[in-house]
Amino acid sequence: GSVDPQSSSMYQLARTVRGELDWIVMKALAKERERRYESASNLAADVERYLAGDPVEAGPISMVYRVKKLARKHMGILIFQILLIVSLTMLFSKLKKIKFEEGKKTGAFYLKRLKVLVSNPLSVAVIIVLFSNVFLYPYRPIMFLDITNILVTIPIIIILVHTLKRKYHVYAYVFGLSVILYVLFLNLPINHIYARMTLLLITSLQTATLFYFIFSSRKTKRLNDRSIKFFLYFSYLLLIMSMIDFMANIIGKVSLSSYLAQAILGILLITIIITFTLFVANGLVVIFVESKYGSKLNFIKHNKAEVSKRVIRFFNLVAVLLFIYFILDLFKFQGVVIDWLSDFFLADRKLGSVEFTWGNIFLFFIVIYLSILSAEIIRVLLEEDVFGRIKMKKGLPYTIGLMVKYS
């Protein structure tokens, strides 16, 4: 028997309509006014979300449905990140078996921290890959951000519990619980009593924990230690924010309370992730410089301490700039600062009859600095590696070599 083309097309249409399009139609035709779309533009927006592969408003509020939609739409990124996690886990597992000779070499501090971190290879790999989401996937949906926060918090807690002394484990658990509660709060209606109580619980946990940490830290004999002082001042700042957060919740300023709770958790999350990533990056630099592969280059072999010091300084600078960038983004000041910097560097200025911009002057000196730096690197490479290994005869090649060497 032949298949009726009309019935076949009707079957295909039924399969297409079933599901999300069916939900959209049912919502548009709902008898109750509150269940229908508020306007035709809302209906059109939901259809556009369907066509873009995003979760539709007419669909269930189920987290499973939304995660499935996001995973299906961004399958390429998901597969790439899974492969990256597997690769980094294998790398860190291999590093875990290496016996580090720390000593007093440049970067020994980072080497020691890397040794501790790679004892949990999967956790470190997950943290670094999820941190890369910021650059690989900058325009991610809010729900994707919530899932990322939970996923990155779990390995952070594992590493902190493995690294810190037992008496400090409570801080790791409170941090993890606060993140989970805040994600729960974001998925509740903001005016709901449960949302208000969840936010109050978060602020109470943060305030009590910070009070206890500051009180116990002031009793330590290492109070003059720079790192202890830094963490103490840092905790004072967070405590002030937490107390304002608590009072804002009590007097009914839920939006302000939510903003401050997010800021506190965001600052902690950013600090921990960037610190862990910096330890890994600088530790890997020291391992490479001290390895047989690094020693194949004479300019590294003869200047191990200097190479390590300069690369570590560069990574530290990048870490500071990233921290400032994320803090500005967290407090919604990023646009204001970028606009101010744009006006400052790009605005035309006059000095007598001369017109200039600070951006051009800054760029001029940056280019000069990079030129000198690259010339220095090329010179050292030529002297240490190229000319030491290539025996050129007298004549034109030798003359050209000397010109390049001393240019």
Side-chain angles (χ1 to χ4, degrees):
S2 59
V3 179
D4 182 8
Q6 186 174 359
S7 62
S8 176
S9 61
M10 289 297 292
Y11 175 73
Q12 292 294 334
L13 178 62
R15 286 191 63 186
T16 304
V17 171
R18 188 185 300 126
E20 291 168 316
L21 282 179
D22 193 22
W23 297 339
I24 293 173
V25 172
M26 295 300 291
K27 185 176 177 68
L29 299 176
K31 292 182 179 180
E32 297 84 358
R33 183 180 179 87
E34 63 273 7
R35 291 183 60 192
R36 292 199 302 267
Y37 289 104
E38 293 181 1
S39 63
S41 60
N42 286 358
L43 170 60
D46 220 13
V47 173
E48 287 179 3
R49 277 192 286 271
Y50 167 75
L51 294 174
D54 294 325
V56 296
E57 184 185 323
I61 309 177
S62 164
M63 177 77 75
V64 175
Y65 159 68
R66 296 179 182 276
V67 170
K68 281 172 66 177
K69 288 292 293 182
L70 286 170
R72 194 176 302 161
K73 182 178 180 180
H74 306 290
M75 186 59 69
I77 292 177
L78 187 62
I79 292 172
F80 170 73
Q81 291 192 335
I82 290 172
L83 291 174
L84 196 56
I85 287 173
V86 172
S87 303
L88 287 176
T89 303
M90 292 172 65
L91 171 65
F92 295 143
S93 298
K94 194 170 182 180
L95 289 175
K96 184 179 177 181
K97 298 175 183 177
I98 298 175
K99 292 183 178 180
F100 299 115
E101 296 178 4
E102 297 163 16
K104 294 184 178 180
K105 64 171 71 76
T106 303
F109 169 82
Y110 296 104
L111 203 57
K112 185 178 179 181
R113 297 299 179 275
L114 176 64
K115 183 179 179 181
V116 174
L117 289 176
V118 297
S119 60
N120 296 278
L122 178 60
S123 298
V124 182
V126 170
I127 291 170
I128 291 175
V129 171
L130 291 178
F131 179 46
S132 70
N133 274 336
V134 178
F135 310 101
L136 295 174
Y137 188 31
Y139 303 108
R140 54 205 179 282
I142 296 297
M143 200 196 83
F144 191 88
L145 184 61
D146 294 343
I147 295 169
T148 303
N149 286 341
I150 292 176
L151 290 178
V152 80
T153 300
I154 295 169
I156 284 175
I157 294 172
I158 292 171
I159 292 177
L160 289 176
V161 169
H162 181 81
T163 307
L164 300 174
K165 294 179 181 178
R166 184 177 293 276
K167 64 179 181 178
Y168 296 121
H169 288 183
V170 64
Y171 302 119
Y173 294 134
V174 169
F175 169 72
L177 180 61
S178 298
V179 172
I180 294 170
L181 286 174
Y182 189 74
V183 172
L184 176 64
F185 161 77
L186 291 176
N187 288 278
L188 291 170
I190 193 166
N191 294 322
H192 200 284
I193 184 64
Y194 291 136
R196 184 87 174 269
M197 294 301 294
T198 303
L199 193 58
L200 184 62
L201 178 59
I202 294 169
T203 56
S204 301
L205 278 172
Q206 290 174 344
T207 306
T209 306
L210 287 166
F211 257 123
Y212 180 75
F213 176 76
I214 292 172
F215 179 76
S216 57
S217 296
R218 290 183 64 85
K219 289 184 175 181
T220 182
K221 295 179 180 178
R222 297 172 56 198
L223 194 58
N224 293 326
D225 192 317
R226 282 185 180 180
S227 58
I228 298 294
K229 277 189 174 182
F230 170 78
F231 280 115
L232 202 55
Y233 293 141
F234 187 62
S235 300
Y236 276 126
L237 174 63
L238 294 179
L239 179 60
I240 292 170
M241 292 175 62
S242 182
M243 292 174 68
I244 296 172
D245 183 5
F246 183 82
M247 293 304 299
N249 192 305
I250 294 295
I251 63 177
K253 303 292 184 181
V254 181
S255 297
L256 176 60
S257 180
S258 172
Y259 176 78
L260 289 172
Q262 181 189 17
I264 293 169
L265 292 174
I267 290 171
L268 290 171
L269 204 59
I270 290 165
T271 304
I272 293 171
I273 292 175
I274 290 180
T275 302
F276 282 178
T277 307
L278 184 65
F279 287 164
V280 172
N282 286 341
L284 290 175
V285 167
V286 178
I287 289 176
F288 175 75
V289 169
E290 297 293 334
S291 69
K292 61 181 180 180
Y293 302 105
S295 297
K296 286 182 179 179
L297 293 171
N298 288 329
F299 92 96
I300 292 180
K301 184 179 179 180
H302 299 153
N303 306 278
K304 288 184 177 181
E306 189 63 24
V307 170
S308 295
K309 188 188 298 182
R310 291 200 177 193
V311 177
I312 286 172
R313 280 180 182 173
F314 172 74
F315 281 154
N316 288 347
L317 176 62
V318 171
V320 171
L321 293 176
L322 279 175
F323 181 79
I324 294 170
Y325 172 84
F326 286 123
I327 292 297
L328 290 175
D329 185 49
L330 183 67
F331 285 97
K332 313 300 181 189
F333 291 147
Q334 187 188 73
V336 176
V337 173
I338 289 175
D339 290 342
W340 180 80
L341 289 174
S342 299
D343 290 340
F344 179 78
F345 283 108
L346 301 180
D348 292 328
R349 303 178 189 279
K350 280 189 175 183
L351 186 62
S353 59
V354 180
E355 291 187 359
F356 67 96
T357 65
W358 288 116
N360 288 339
I361 294 175
F362 179 74
L363 186 62
F364 173 75
F365 284 107
I366 286 291
V367 169
I368 289 178
Y369 171 75
L370 292 176
S371 300
I372 293 171
L373 183 63
S374 57
E376 179 68 14
I377 293 172
I378 293 171
R379 183 188 67 79
V380 173
L381 274 170
L382 289 173
E383 288 184 351
E384 299 286 350
D385 289 282
V386 178
F387 293 116
R389 298 180 184 184
I390 299 176
K391 294 182 179 180
M392 291 184 290
K393 296 179 180 179
K394 289 186 177 181
L396 185 61
Y398 182 71
T399 306
I400 293 173
L402 287 178
M403 287 172 63
V404 173
K405 177 179 178 180
Y406 293 109
S407 61

